[in-house]
């Protein structure tokens, strides 16, 4: 699956934004691979001219490989890269491996639990006097839980929680909350509502410890 959007406004309003993403799944026997990427860039206006600095500039890539080892258990390995101007991330790269458990409480309720070791390398844009300088290396635990519930034949809700504490400083926690609702309205028309909140208990100087997004989409299939 892939998507791309470009928006340009001229005249009384000046705006230029571009965003896109792609996700690829591959399954063969006991193996499953996932590759996903997303990027966004946007220029707004100031005093009737395009601003010198973009209001968004970010890129994200993630790859994950999983092998089923039986009885709902699987072993997985993952890697990720991220750049985000306004979160002051010049570099965030990570790699990890761990175990995953898939369980079905009922045919309508599916739960997933994962636990992994994660190595992380991070460098900040324009570090201040109170920030760590250069590339910083950390050891973290990456844990997640997902609950998916089929409300009907055409609607479902999912909720995922990521918690990633630093091993040598457990109060330094990063994570993500992702909640989604999909509702089929008629045969080929649906509604998708999603809410995502990323959090960091020890963010860089002058950066808020959270980022949230709410998205409402109508989907059509032909």
């Amino acid at each position: 699956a892939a998507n791309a959007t470009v928006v340009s406004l001229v005249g009384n309003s000046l705006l230029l934004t571009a965003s896109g993403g792609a996700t690829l799944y591959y399954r063969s026997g006991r193996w499953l691979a996932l590759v996903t990427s997303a990027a966004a860039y946007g220029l707004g206006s100031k005093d009737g001219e395009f601003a010198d600095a973009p209001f968004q500039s970010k890129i994200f890539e993630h790859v994950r490989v999983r092998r089923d080892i039986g009885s709902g258990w699987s072993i997985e390995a993952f890697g990720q890269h991220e750049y985000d101007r306004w979160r002051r991330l010049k570099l965030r790269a990570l790699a990890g491996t761990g175990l995953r458990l898939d369980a079905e409480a009922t045919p309508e309720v599916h739960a997933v639990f994962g636990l992994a070791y994660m190595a992380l390398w991070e460098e900040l844009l324009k570090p201040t006097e109170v920030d760590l300088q250069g590339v910083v290396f950390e050891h973290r635990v990456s844990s997640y839980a997902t609950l998916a519930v089929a409300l009907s034949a055409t609607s479902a809700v999912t909720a995922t929680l990521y918690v990633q504490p630093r091993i040598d400083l457990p109060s330094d926690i990063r994570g993500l909350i992702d909640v989604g609702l999909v509702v089929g309205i008629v045969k080929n028309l649906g509604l998708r509502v999603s809410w995502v909140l990323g959090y960091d208990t020890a963010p860089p100087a002058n950066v808020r410890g959270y980022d949230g997004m709410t998205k409402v989409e109508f989907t059509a299939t032909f």
Side-chain angles (χ1 to χ4, degrees):
N3 66 86
T5 303
V6 177
V7 178
S8 177
L9 300 179
V10 296
N12 294 301
S13 299
L14 290 176
L15 180 71
L16 177 62
T17 67
S19 63
T23 300
L24 176 65
Y25 291 92
Y26 175 76
R27 184 185 292 274
S28 177
R30 291 176 174 264
W31 291 92
L32 173 68
L34 162 70
V35 179
T36 185
S37 63
Y41 186 84
L43 281 174
S45 61
K46 182 179 180 181
D47 300 326
E49 301 289 341
F50 278 114
D52 294 331
F55 64 83
Q56 65 175 352
S57 177
K58 56 186 177 181
I59 187 169
F60 173 88
E61 304 104 11
H62 182 90
V63 59
R64 185 173 294 258
V65 178
R66 183 183 306 147
R67 188 183 191 280
D68 178 18
I69 56 177
S71 301
W73 289 94
S74 56
I75 187 169
E76 57 185 1
F78 54 89
Q80 183 174 301
H81 166 264
E82 188 175 5
Y83 164 87
D84 192 322
R85 176 187 176 95
W86 294 109
R87 288 165 59 208
R88 295 187 54 222
L89 289 179
K90 181 178 181 181
L91 166 71
R92 177 175 287 170
L94 59 88
T97 185
L99 291 173
R100 169 187 169 114
L101 174 64
D102 287 77
E104 288 192 9
T106 70
E108 295 79 23
V109 180
H110 183 79
V112 178
F113 305 94
L115 185 66
Y117 163 77
M118 185 174 77
L120 183 145
W121 296 263
E122 185 173 283
E123 184 177 7
L124 297 178
L125 284 168
K126 300 179 180 179
T128 68
E129 293 180 355
V130 298
D131 290 318
L132 295 176
Q133 309 293 311
V135 178
V136 178
F137 177 66
E138 297 178 353
H139 301 275
R140 289 183 179 266
V141 173
S142 180
S143 61
Y144 64 89
T146 297
L147 182 66
V149 181
L151 303 177
S152 69
T154 58
S155 62
V157 62
T158 61
T160 300
L161 172 65
Y162 276 88
V163 180
Q164 298 175 334
R166 214 172 97 183
I167 292 177
D168 60 336
L169 186 62
S171 61
D172 183 349
I173 301 173
R174 293 174 182 165
L176 181 78
I177 301 170
D178 187 340
V179 179
L181 172 66
V182 178
V183 178
I185 301 174
V186 294
K187 182 179 179 180
N188 297 319
L189 183 64
L191 173 69
R192 184 192 304 272
V193 181
S194 58
W195 178 74
V196 180
L197 176 67
Y199 58 90
D200 186 348
T201 62
N206 305 315
V207 174
R208 291 178 177 174
Y210 65 92
D211 284 285
M213 178 185 70
T214 301
K215 183 185 291 186
V216 179
E217 302 173 278
F218 286 97
T219 60
T221 57
F222 301 95

